[in-house]
Amino acid sequence: MIIRKAYEDDLNSICALSNEIYGDHFKSMPDNFLEPKDDNRDAAYWQCFMNVDDAIVLVAQEKEKIIGAVCAKIVITKGIPFLAEKTRLYIGTIVVTDKHQRRGIASLLMSHVEEFSEKFNATEVLLEVMSFNQDAINFYRALGFDDFSTKLVKKLP
């Protein structure tokens, strides 16, 4: 298995992975996530992280098959009077196909994407995880992540 930078030609495979993770999100939060279709609905999202200097998409490839992907970008907190200036790596999405989970692939993707952030002198990695996704929360905690903030929601009548 190799971890490499994604290419435009990988978008079909990446979108298939994206459909997998957002299918789980739809099942758990149908009021917030759209049901994925068997298409490339998410291609534009992933493309936002491709071919720009401050963002990246990496894929895990086994033989000819893409089995995982991560997208990330550099975010600089600057010019906001109440926040410390920081350079962070923001993880947009990470996904490993169900069949290949718990084999260390997500950890490898995270390690490689953190290496990408070194040339920007990033000091933190920031990501958001849905509260229903306890497996992901446990995974991130095992990698050393800790609570940063809490998002709350209230439905209006």
Side-chain angles (χ1 to χ4, degrees), residues 59-118:
V59 294
Q61 181 177 331
E62 191 171 72
K63 297 181 182 172
E64 298 300 315
K65 186 166 177 61
I66 292 176
I67 58 174
V70 61
C71 61
K73 66 180 175 180
I74 298 297
V75 176
I76 301 171
T77 308
K78 188 175 183 175
I80 302 172
F82 54 87
L83 290 179
E85 184 175 320
K86 287 190 177 190
T87 301
R88 293 183 174 104
L89 178 69
Y90 174 76
I91 306 296
T93 301
I94 182 169
V95 59
V96 174
T97 186
D98 287 341
K99 179 180 173 186
H100 293 88
Q101 289 182 2
R102 292 176 177 57
R103 291 182 36 200
I105 297 165
S107 296
L108 280 171
L109 285 166
M110 289 295 287
S111 175
H112 279 75
V113 81
E114 286 178 20
E115 285 177 19
F116 162 77
S117 74
E118 290 174 2

Side-chain angles (χ1 to χ4, degrees), residues 136-154:
I137 292 168
N138 293 338
F139 166 72
Y140 295 126
R141 289 202 187 285
L143 291 181
F145 284 79
D146 201 0
D147 293 332
F148 177 76
S149 67
T150 300
K151 281 188 171 185
L152 303 173
V153 65
K154 175 185 173 184

Side-chain angles (χ1 to χ4, degrees), residues 4-38:
R4 65 169 175 80
K5 189 173 178 180
Y7 304 109
E8 296 278 334
D9 290 349
D10 297 322
L11 278 172
N12 289 344
S13 297
I14 294 169
C15 286
L17 290 171
S18 192
N19 285 343
E20 221 176 278
I21 191 171
Y22 290 116
D24 293 340
H25 283 60
F26 172 74
K27 289 174 193 166
S28 296
M29 299 177 76
D31 290 346
N32 294 289
F33 288 91
L34 298 175
E35 184 173 17
K37 308 287 187 226
D38 290 329

